[in-house]
Amino acid sequence: MNRRSGLSSRQLGALALSAAGLPVFRVCCRVSWPWVLGGGILAAACLSGLTLLAHRRAPCPGPATFLLLPLLPAGAVYAAWEASFSFPETAGGFLLPAMVLVLAIWAASVGPEAAGRCAGLLLWITGALYGTVLIFSLPQIRLERLRPDGDPSGLPRVFLALLTPGAALLLEPEEGRPPCWPWWASAAAALAASLVCGGILSAPLAAEREAFRTLARGVSVLGVIRRFEALGNGAMLMSAFCLCVLLLSAFRAQIPGKERLKNYFGKSQKKC
């Protein structure tokens, strides 16, 4: 059994959904909506199935857990690197990713319950920032650009990207089991981002790495208020931080102590 994280089920869901902002608005928004729809449903269904089986976990870590452990810190490093692209001025630099990674390591070392409380607040902030860009972009959508097209290889990309917040399943909430709603909310957000980006930007622009920033740059309110990309930039940075904390917290929760290793290599086979 995984160590109790101290997180409530609601806090764990908030942390997972906040972390999903990075894959949604860095990967999924650049894929044509039919493949986002398919990949999102597959990812949400898989994670929901794993969530429903969470209470049946074996009382000891399995071999697959040990094999997957190195992927968690590696993913955290990659998420920190993606944070450098939150702002054009820091793109490709090392200072911002290093700061995000150091802060994430500190937050994970304090305990996931602190990250959960933080995510409970950041979820509303990032949701408002992303939502502002998407909602005020709606009048610019051109229906002819929403024709199903694109490369089918986008479906596995979306599927794998939306599986990343599933690291939350390695953190056991204080009571009950992890919620299912973050997986479906992430899939819905990915579909909305893909529809808006694809319906406004041309196909080449919608497939670019900075598609969401390009979209935010063209948003205006009543033709007066512009430069909404700053909102998207800030939301992207917060999402990258949440994903780093989630992956590192999951890694910390799965590191077995001496007693757990002894049980695993000794009596654990009988228990499992």
Side-chain angles (χ1 to χ4, degrees):
M1 182 73 71
N2 295 336
R3 292 181 295 183
R4 295 282 179 179
S5 63
L7 286 166
S8 68
S9 180
R10 181 178 297 179
Q11 289 173 334
L12 186 57
L15 181 58
L17 187 54
S18 299
L22 187 67
V24 165
F25 292 97
R26 288 291 292 174
V27 178
C28 301
C29 70
R30 297 156 49 201
V31 179
S32 185
W33 69 266
W35 314 117
V36 173
L37 177 62
I41 291 176
L42 285 176
C46 287
L47 291 175
S48 295
L50 292 173
T51 301
L52 295 176
L53 294 174
H55 66 291
R56 299 179 184 176
R57 291 172 181 153
C60 61
T65 302
F66 290 117
L67 293 176
L68 291 174
L69 275 181
L71 296 180
L72 296 174
V77 171
Y78 181 75
W81 170 251
E82 284 290 336
S84 71
F85 297 95
S86 300
F87 299 91
E89 298 80 7
T90 61
F94 291 96
L95 180 58
L96 184 58
M99 293 174 61
V100 170
L101 193 58
V102 168
L103 289 174
I105 292 173
W106 175 80
S109 67
V110 171
E113 60 275 9
R117 292 193 296 269
C118 179
L121 176 62
L122 291 181
L123 178 60
W124 293 101
I125 297 175
T126 55
L129 296 179
Y130 288 130
T132 298
V133 174
L134 294 178
I135 290 173
F136 285 107
S137 299
L138 292 178
Q140 304 178 45
I141 290 180
R142 298 170 59 179
L143 296 180
E144 63 271 15
R145 289 184 173 174
L146 292 178
R147 290 192 299 266
D149 57 6
D151 189 352
S153 64
L155 190 149
R157 278 197 293 146
V158 170
F159 175 71
L160 293 175
L162 293 180
L163 283 183
T164 307
L169 294 176
L170 297 176
L171 294 171
E172 188 179 359
E174 196 65 26
E175 295 181 359
R177 60 190 175 202
C180 290
W181 59 264
W183 322 133
W184 297 100
S186 300
L191 180 61
S194 174
L195 285 170
V196 174
C197 285
I200 295 177
L201 305 177
S202 62
L205 285 177
E208 286 185 354
R209 186 184 185 95
E210 303 300 335
F212 186 71
R213 179 177 294 129
T214 302
L215 173 72
R217 190 176 294 124
V219 175
S220 64
V221 179
L222 301 177
V224 178
I225 305 176
R226 295 182 179 273
R227 310 302 295 180
F228 273 76
E229 71 267 23
L231 301 181
N233 295 343
M236 198 76 69
L237 180 60
M238 287 184 275
S239 297
F241 171 74
C242 288
L243 184 56
C244 278
V245 173
L246 173 61
L247 294 173
L248 292 175
S249 296
F251 176 73
R252 179 175 180 266
Q254 293 301 308
I255 295 177
K258 292 182 180 180
E259 190 64 28
R260 294 179 73 199
L261 281 175
K262 181 179 178 180
N263 290 337
Y264 177 72
F265 290 109
K267 301 178 180 179
S268 62
Q269 296 299 328
K270 296 181 181 180
K271 292 181 181 179
C272 293

